[in-house]
Amino acid sequence: MLSQIKTLWTVFVHLFKRNETVQYPEEMPYQAPRYRGRIILTRDPDGEERCVACNLCAVACPVDCIALQKTEKEEDGRWYPEFFRINFSRCIMCGMCEEACPTYAIQLTPDFELCEFDRDNMVYEKEHLLIDGTGKYPDYSFWHVAGKTITGKDKGEAQNENKPEDVRSLLP
Amino acid sequence: MNLSFFLFYISAAVAITTAIMAVTRKNASHALIYLVVTLLSIAVIFFLLGAPFAAALEIVIYAGAIVVLFLFVVMMLNLGRSSVARESQWLRPGMWVLPAILSGVLFIVFGYTVLQTENSAMIEGQVVPPKEVGTVLFHEYLLGVELAGVLLLAALVGAFHLGRRYLEERREN
Amino acid sequence: MFFENINWSYVLILPLIGGALGGALVLVWWERRLLGFFQDRLGPNRVGWFGILQSLADAIKLITKDDWVPPFGDRVLFILAPIIVAGAMLMAYAVLPLGPGLIIADSNIAILWILAMSSLAVYGVLLAGLASNNKYSLLGGLRSVAQMVTYEVFMGLSLLGVVMLTGSFSLRDVVHAQEDMWFCIPQCVGLVIFLIAGLAESHRLPFDLPEAEHELTAGFHTEYSGMKFALIMAAEYLSLILISALIVVLFFGGWLGPKFLPSELLSGIVWYGLKVVLVINFFILLRAAIPRPRYDQLMSLGWKILLPLSLLNILITGAILLGTQ
């Protein structure tokens, strides 16, 4: 009996406590920068597409919602996606693609409002996904850190680049 | 000829019709619903005769408790088509002709005595408030009330005894 | 004749039915809102001013919904059941005083009448469970019958103390007898028993075993939809209002204000309304706080604690009355 009365009192006191409810459409809840929402494709600081069409994101995706096709640039042979398609009606916002991406091209944003009346509108093409900015890693450019051989220039001959280490010289 | 006159005949007609329906229904739950309506119309007649206390008790005890328990049992038994078929077997003319004749004889005797006594067709009467009922019960009929109480106590003890034996048997198993 | 007891105040019938049903509608919203506050939420606040039109929106939805009658059940009884529940509950309002002189039928058996009507409401629940021909409905119906028949006993017995102190079954006399002291003080045991029995009679949480949604989906009204369901819900809220008003009339002095305040501070009907709203809020608090007991716990609470307690209450009240006379 006493415990019932104590319960009643505890619940009654909650009448005067602050409500936890967030009035969503009017009042946005706080979204952490690393919240996993809508997926974007970013560009590097030079304004080029970061994506190198390596297909790792498509492999990592547990629900197979990413589809892309590789093509090459004529002038330097760098890879880039010919098309890049994410089906958001399948996407579970797990962030595996972001983890798999070697160039920080694919990133998840705090935007979670992905509602459409038509299911077809949930399929995002490259022009919908690609943004103008660099996303979460403003200074990172994959081609400055790693790259493919350029004609007439061997490994270690580029600007600000050391010679590759001869592993045998490290022997004691 | 006033309003309560009409109300009496309406509720009496309802009571008789539903009583007949209660006897002739094959579905037990339907029969019990008709029985409830019979009891309610009898309660209305009590009201009209100036016994509101008896009317309320009729509803509370008969309609509200006893028939509810009947219905409760009917629900527990899960009566289906087979029981309806059995009921219709019981309602063959051979089964009800003799009781009907006997009741008809009783009805004629009853009607005769009612017609013999004078001033028996009074619908209006003195309103008996609950307090008066209590006073009469505990003065003139004190012995009867006490005896009924003892009887009910015996029934209660008996029910308790039966229930306890059943519980003990179940505990042993 | 009992017609003499009914005065000109049948005019009250329509406003009372309208007010009670409107009150039930508002109560649905208010309960959800208050439950929200108790649980640190907001509750429905979108439709209309602070969400007050939520019930109206729900009602429109229920009217336009498909009113399905199960083909495997008993059609007539299925349709009859909600009518019986709501009808019996509305009938009970006939003897409920709303204020000094505001009463439809000032009957001298008012308390018995209310008990009779609440016992008739059992049929609605029972037939709903029986006619649905569904195991959850049947179990809910069985439970509710056992619960209501059991708790009706204590409801009646707990009121006997009040009736003894008043010397009448009339609710107006009950209020007038409380001019010196409200019955919640001499009849505090009766009040607690009546409160518990009233909860059980109106299937309010914590005693909502007939519809216990975690075990029986929705108990006796599992198969109901549309307006039939709305009628059952309305009857439930009507019985909540009825029980609250009865508690106020029987134990908290009805339309009488507290003695230590000047009597002309507020009019009787305002006092009455205030007290009823307070009691309703207390019922909602009970719903928010107390978990549902198990079925056998409910039964043993009834027969092993409340029955001896209410009998003792009657015995002691009677002894004191005899001693002081």
Side-chain angles (χ1 to χ4, degrees):
Chain A
M1 193 67 196
L2 194 69
S3 90
Q4 312 285 343
I5 291 165
K6 226 161 70 188
T7 317
L8 281 178
W9 177 248
T10 315
V11 174
F12 180 69
V13 164
H14 271 270
L15 194 56
F16 306 105
K17 294 232 170 111
R18 218 173 63 82
N19 293 315
E20 297 290 339
T21 312
V22 179
Q23 299 266 29
Y24 159 58
E26 292 96 37
E27 184 188 330
M28 279 300 278
Y30 170 70
Q31 299 292 336
R34 289 171 70 177
Y35 188 90
R36 299 198 305 262
R38 183 167 58 88
I39 297 171
I40 53 165
L41 286 175
T42 56
R43 294 174 187 271
D44 58 17
D46 307 335
E48 292 295 313
E49 284 176 42
R50 269 179 178 159
C51 181
V52 294
C54 67
N55 264 310
L56 280 178
C57 50
V59 170
C61 183
V63 289
D64 283 348
C65 70
I66 302 176
L68 69 151
Q69 192 169 52
K70 172 224 129 182
T71 186
E72 283 179 18
K73 276 185 195 166
E74 300 238 325
E75 61 266 32
D76 49 9
R78 284 180 180 175
W79 288 16
Y80 73 99
E82 189 181 3
F83 67 82
F84 198 105
R85 187 176 298 142
I86 298 181
N87 185 353
F88 277 107
S89 59
R90 274 195 187 181
C91 180
I92 56 172
M93 314 292 171
C94 63
M96 300 277 232
C97 47
E98 188 178 16
E99 277 178 44
C101 186
T103 65
Y104 294 138
I106 192 163
Q107 291 180 9
L108 277 76
T109 56
D111 177 23
F112 58 91
E113 290 166 320
L114 284 163
C115 296
E116 295 289 345
F117 286 105
D118 198 349
R119 198 171 285 250
D120 292 345
N121 295 341
M122 294 292 279
V123 180
Y124 279 45
E125 294 291 344
K126 196 165 108 180
E127 64 261 33
H128 308 124
L129 296 166
L130 203 59
I131 64 163
D132 287 337
T134 53
K136 288 178 230 179
Y137 307 95
D139 300 328
Y140 180 77
S141 177
F142 174 74
W143 295 108
H144 292 169
V145 186
K148 67 174 263 173
T149 48
I150 301 163
T151 39
K153 208 185 262 181
D154 205 6
K155 280 181 189 167
E157 286 176 1
Q159 230 176 338
N160 303 327
E161 195 181 5
N162 295 331
K163 284 262 178 208
E165 217 44 74
D166 181 10
V167 285
R168 287 189 176 75
S169 71
L170 292 172
L171 289 171
Chain B
M1 277 298 205
N2 55 6
L3 185 60
S4 43
F5 180 83
F6 280 114
L7 286 180
F8 173 80
Y9 278 106
I10 291 168
S11 46
V14 170
I16 291 170
T17 323
T18 50
I20 292 169
M21 294 295 262
V23 175
T24 52
R25 286 310 88 186
K26 283 159 194 157
N27 189 327
S29 50
H30 288 188
L32 283 172
I33 302 303
Y34 279 116
L35 185 59
V36 173
V37 181
T38 313
L39 292 170
L40 288 182
S41 44
I42 289 171
V44 173
I45 292 173
F46 275 137
F47 250 126
L48 293 171
L49 294 177
F53 188 69
L57 284 189
E58 171 100 16
I59 300 177
V60 172
I61 294 170
Y62 285 95
I66 293 178
V67 184
V68 165
L69 291 181
F70 285 0
L71 256 181
F72 192 86
V73 173
V74 168
M75 276 167 92
M76 295 285 239
L77 292 178
N78 190 20
L79 298 175
R81 286 219 182 84
S82 59
S83 72
V84 172
R86 196 179 56 220
E87 281 284 332
S88 53
Q89 225 176 16
W90 284 348
L91 284 172
R92 273 180 318 186
M95 306 295 253
W96 57 262
V97 159
L98 188 62
I101 290 171
L102 288 175
S103 337
V105 169
L106 261 183
F107 183 73
I108 291 165
V109 173
F110 179 64
Y112 180 72
T113 39
V114 165
L115 289 177
Q116 284 296 301
T117 34
E118 285 168 24
N119 284 339
S120 62
M122 288 283 284
I123 296 172
E124 287 96 340
Q126 196 88 32
V127 176
V128 187
K131 212 167 191 169
E132 218 165 277
V133 176
T135 322
V136 170
L137 275 182
F138 284 95
H139 279 105
E140 287 174 42
Y141 299 106
L142 182 61
L143 189 66
V145 170
E146 293 293 331
L147 282 177
V150 170
L151 208 62
L152 285 175
L153 184 68
L156 190 69
V157 171
F160 178 71
H161 181 66
L162 287 173
R164 211 178 54 162
R165 241 181 43 198
Y166 167 69
L167 278 182
E168 273 168 7
E169 270 168 22
R170 203 166 62 171
R171 212 167 292 142
E172 278 163 17
N173 292 341
Chain C
M1 290 317 308
F2 82 109
F3 288 113
E4 287 157 19
N5 297 330
I6 300 175
N7 45 17
W8 52 272
S9 50
Y10 325 103
V11 220
L12 273 176
I13 293 177
L14 269 183
L16 183 84
I17 291 179
L21 288 174
L25 270 184
V26 172
L27 195 57
V28 174
W29 162 75
W30 176 240
E31 172 165 40
R32 289 177 60 190
R33 191 103 174 124
L34 204 59
L35 277 178
F37 288 139
F38 283 134
Q39 294 161 2
D40 293 348
R41 297 184 286 116
L42 283 176
N45 63 345
R46 294 276 154 183
V47 195
W49 188 66
F50 284 110
I52 199 161
L53 296 178
Q54 179 68 49
S55 317
L56 201 66
D58 288 347
I60 291 169
K61 183 196 78 179
L62 284 171
I63 288 170
T64 51
K65 262 182 98 165
D66 185 14
D67 208 349
W68 189 69
V69 178
F72 43 81
D74 195 326
R75 196 184 159 80
V76 180
L77 293 185
F78 188 83
I79 295 168
L80 204 61
I83 300 172
I84 293 176
V85 184
M89 272 305 148
L90 278 175
M91 291 281 271
Y93 276 82
V95 294
L96 193 70
L98 305 172
L102 284 176
I103 181 167
I104 291 176
D106 186 12
S107 171
N108 58 353
I109 52 154
I111 292 175
L112 282 175
W113 173 260
I114 285 171
L115 287 177
M117 285 305 123
S118 84
S119 67
L120 281 189
V122 182
Y123 280 106
V125 175
L126 184 59
L127 293 181
L130 186 67
S132 296
N133 201 5
N134 166 324
K135 54 191 151 210
Y136 295 122
S137 301
L138 190 73
L139 281 172
L142 283 175
R143 277 189 185 186
S144 83
V145 172
Q147 176 179 328
M148 287 176 87
V149 170
T150 304
Y151 278 82
E152 223 156 67
V153 177
F154 320 127
M155 204 169 169
L157 287 178
S158 64
L159 291 181
L160 277 189
V162 171
V163 173
M164 281 155 90
L165 287 176
T166 315
S168 165
F169 280 114
S170 161
L171 287 174
R172 198 183 42 163
D173 293 350
V174 168
V175 174
H176 285 311
Q178 299 182 56
E179 266 161 4
D180 296 328
M181 195 205 296
W182 291 356
F183 283 154
C184 58
I185 300 160
Q187 282 296 316
C188 53
V189 181
L191 170 62
V192 170
I193 296 167
F194 185 75
L195 192 80
I196 295 173
L199 277 176
E201 279 293 298
S202 56
H203 316 140
R204 291 283 306 170
L205 268 128
F207 292 128
D208 69 331
L209 283 107
E211 50 209 271
E213 63 263 32
H214 310 119
E215 311 154 29
L216 299 178
T217 61
F220 63 91
H221 55 64
T222 305
E223 298 287 357
Y224 280 88
S225 63
M227 269 326 271
K228 297 196 194 72
F229 173 74
L231 215 55
I232 290 177
M233 280 310 274
E236 221 134 272
Y237 282 92
L238 284 179
S239 78
L240 171 64
I241 299 174
L242 180 74
I243 294 289
S244 312
L246 267 184
I247 285 175
V248 169
V249 168
L250 293 166
F251 295 100
F252 291 99
W255 55 82
L256 305 169
K259 274 209 87 177
F260 50 87
L261 290 173
S263 57
E264 59 272 9
L265 186 67
L266 288 170
S267 71
I269 197 150
V270 177
W271 274 121
Y272 188 74
L274 270 179
K275 287 185 218 169
V276 171
V277 167
L278 264 180
V279 174
I280 287 176
N281 286 352
F282 180 68
F283 272 120
I284 295 173
L285 174 64
L286 278 177
R287 171 177 181 168
I290 310 282
R292 181 189 307 128
R294 225 169 47 218
Y295 183 65
D296 59 322
Q297 288 170 334
L298 179 90
M299 282 294 151
S300 58
L301 171 77
W303 292 111
K304 287 181 185 161
I305 299 172
L306 295 184
L307 181 66
L309 213 61
S310 52
L311 287 175
L312 255 178
N313 182 35
I314 293 169
L315 204 69
I316 292 168
T317 313
I320 290 172
L321 264 183
L322 275 182
T324 51
Q325 258 169 11

